[in-house]
Amino acid sequence: MQIIDGKQVSAQIKQEIAAEVDKIVADGGKRPHLAGVLVGHDGGSESYMSSKVKACEQCGFKSSLIRFEEDVTEQTLLETIERLNHDDDVDGFIVQLPLPRHINEQRVIEAIDYRKDVDGFHPINVGRLSIGLPCFRSATPAGILMLLERYGIETRGKHCVVIGRSNIVGKPVASLLMQKANPGNCTVTVCHSATPDIASLTRQADILIAAMGKPGFVTADMVKEGAVVIDVGTTRVADETRKSGWRLCGDVDFDHVADKCSFITPVPGGVGPMTIVSLMHNTLLAATKQIYQ
Ligand code: GUN
């Protein structure tokens, strides 16, 4: 059994991006610039956003953070997006989700110019991804593919079972792994809350991707001997032994599942750090106009 070290791979990729940025700047080019919009003070969103700002520094990117209080109007948010769409210094930007209930999240996503949508959430990027065209790929699925690639895990002809059908992980990762590409070329099954007997499907998985946000859901009896297990879960559960009062918990019962696997991602330190590095990769692609002019 090998533990997939997302922390190490992400550090390596950030170094590669930083080296590329150094070269661009030395050649007289513009430093890539990622902007982020953060509404309110949700602990998870604050922590994701500060990790993104830190990763920008490590990659040599310029970053800017635009903050609003919880009661910001949708109109103000849409005007900010319009300004960022037209700001030539900003190569890409993200609006941290979830947004407060009075704001229509889909309207916000669709207001972002798809050429600056480094989260890959705009329907144009989602659509292009699903038909295998160049696009900004949603960060977590792209990060999972980077891990499979860097660990030399064969995907062609494998049965990949995804648990969870969210727009930002389950659907796009299923779509990417079924593409005629490498990584890809899998036979993909997607399970969700209405799937009866999920275990009978997960036991058939050569590659099992758990992305439904239920701590410890995947138990040892649900996993085939030698499977590759990718845990996307990041639920905060109460833990009084920690200073913060909580710890991150994956969707996989790691302690009992790990022994059965050929490869497994830990939580934390598996998929999480790769998500942020994919965002950095997308920002570099945006700044160097490698996807859209
Ligand atoms: N909230 C949770 N994950 C993400 C993400 O990848 N991007 C944005 N914008 N918000 C999120």
Side-chain angles (χ1 to χ4, degrees):
M1 185 271 294
Q2 197 176 344
I3 292 181
I4 296 179
D5 188 346
K7 220 168 143 183
Q8 190 259 322
V9 175
S10 70
Q12 166 77 30
I13 297 177
K14 278 188 277 193
Q15 271 182 20
E16 291 167 13
I17 293 174
E20 214 165 311
V21 171
D22 281 348
K23 196 161 169 293
I24 291 168
V25 173
D27 291 345
K30 181 182 144 330
R31 194 173 285 286
H33 180 185
L34 173 68
V37 177
L38 179 58
V39 178
H41 300 275
D42 170 76
S45 293
E46 290 269 4
S47 126
Y48 280 131
M49 207 48 127
S50 71
S51 303
K52 289 170 187 177
V53 169
K54 190 171 148 213
C56 281
E57 284 166 22
Q58 293 167 332
C59 292
F61 295 174
K62 178 176 169 183
S63 70
S64 33
L65 179 56
I66 302 162
R67 282 179 167 276
F68 291 104
E69 289 303 321
E70 195 82 20
D71 61 356
V72 66
T73 62
E74 186 176 296
Q75 186 58 30
T76 302
L77 213 48
L78 292 173
E79 283 164 11
T80 304
I81 290 170
E82 199 50 23
R83 183 171 62 70
L84 291 168
N85 283 340
H86 290 101
D87 184 340
D88 287 339
D89 192 59
V90 173
D91 298 296
F93 66 97
I94 60 167
V95 178
Q96 188 65 32
L97 305 178
L99 290 169
R101 285 163 60 103
H102 67 279
I103 292 170
N104 182 326
E105 217 161 79
Q106 196 58 28
R107 197 173 292 148
V108 166
I109 289 171
E110 291 185 37
I112 298 172
D113 185 327
Y114 69 93
R115 293 164 297 187
K116 292 191 176 189
D117 168 40
V118 284
D119 256 333
F121 292 170
H122 191 285
I124 292 182
N125 283 309
V126 175
R128 289 177 67 92
L129 179 137
S130 77
I131 57 173
L133 292 176
C135 63
F136 294 120
R137 297 171 162 192
S138 177
T140 302
I144 292 170
L145 263 66
M146 284 182 198
L147 286 178
L148 294 171
E149 202 169 13
R150 298 243 169 180
Y151 275 82
I153 295 168
E154 180 65 74
T155 56
R156 185 185 165 81
K158 298 290 178 351
H159 185 192
C160 173
V161 176
V162 179
I163 320 177
R165 55 176 157 185
S166 70
N167 289 341
I168 66 175
V169 185
K171 282 179 198 151
V173 82
S175 191
L176 284 168
L177 283 170
M178 79 167 83
Q179 293 290 337
K180 197 166 192 171
N182 185 26
N185 263 316
C186 288
T187 303
V188 180
T189 301
V190 180
C191 307
H192 46 73
S193 51
T195 306
D197 197 5
I198 288 183
S200 70
L201 295 162
T202 60
R203 274 195 288 269
Q204 298 173 38
D206 302 307
I207 301 170
L208 179 59
I209 302 180
M212 72 298 205
K214 284 199 174 154
F217 180 88
V218 175
T219 47
D221 59 303
M222 295 170 72
V223 177
K224 180 166 84 172
E225 200 69 45
V228 175
V229 174
I230 308 289
D231 189 350
V232 187
T234 51
T235 309
R236 286 183 174 195
V237 298
D239 184 345
E240 283 169 11
T241 69
R242 305 283 174 106
K243 209 164 68 184
S244 61
W246 56 269
R247 69 186 153 86
L248 276 187
C249 196
D251 289 345
V252 176
D253 176 10
F254 183 94
D255 291 345
H256 297 103
V257 168
D259 279 345
K260 294 185 85 172
C261 301
S262 53
F263 293 90
I264 185 167
T265 62
V267 175
V271 173
M274 295 303 297
T275 297
I276 290 173
V277 121
S278 302
L279 177 66
M280 301 298 119
H281 182 242
N282 278 348
T283 304
L284 182 63
L285 293 176
T288 51
K289 307 267 187 279
Q290 290 185 60
I291 309 259
Y292 304 114
Q293 292 312 305

